[in-house]
Amino acid sequence: MRNTLGDLNNHLFAQLERLSDEELTGEKLADEINRAKAVTSVASQIIANGTLVLEARKLADDRMNADTKIPKMLEGGS
């Protein structure tokens, strides 16, 4: 896998640092705020997808019937 949740965490902190730049004002600040909104929106979807994969893994581990199949899209990358 090329990107990890650790990479996402680093991107989020980098975005926070850009927003904390006190020299950023006016249109540049507005652009950075819009960029931050886009980053957090994508980050939320990545986290939701990771949560879904984790829940599918838990279901696979806890299932009563060993023949139960998990949908391929929920198997996640291994």
Side-chain angles (χ1 to χ4, degrees), residues 3-34:
N3 294 306
T4 66
L5 291 178
D7 294 331
L8 175 61
N9 194 48
N10 291 336
H11 286 294
L12 291 172
F13 276 108
Q15 182 62 60
L16 182 60
E17 287 176 17
R18 286 189 296 273
L19 284 171
S20 298
D21 182 354
E22 292 182 15
E23 294 180 12
L24 206 57
T25 59
E27 190 174 321
K28 288 185 179 185
L29 178 58
D31 288 345
E32 200 59 50
I33 290 170
N34 286 333

Side-chain angles (χ1 to χ4, degrees), residues 5-69:
L5 291 178
D7 294 331
L8 175 61
N9 194 48
N10 291 336
H11 286 294
L12 291 172
F13 276 108
Q15 182 62 60
L16 182 60
E17 287 176 17
R18 286 189 296 273
L19 284 171
S20 298
D21 182 354
E22 292 182 15
E23 294 180 12
L24 206 57
T25 59
E27 190 174 321
K28 288 185 179 185
L29 178 58
D31 288 345
E32 200 59 50
I33 290 170
N34 286 333
R35 182 176 292 114
K37 288 177 183 178
V39 167
T40 56
S41 177
V42 172
S44 294
Q45 291 304 309
I46 292 169
I47 292 166
N49 188 50
T51 300
L52 180 61
V53 170
L54 179 60
E55 290 300 318
R57 289 285 184 202
K58 287 180 183 177
L59 176 65
D61 289 345
D62 293 342
R63 66 181 179 222
M64 299 277 246
N65 182 350
D67 295 325
T68 301
K69 300 287 184 192

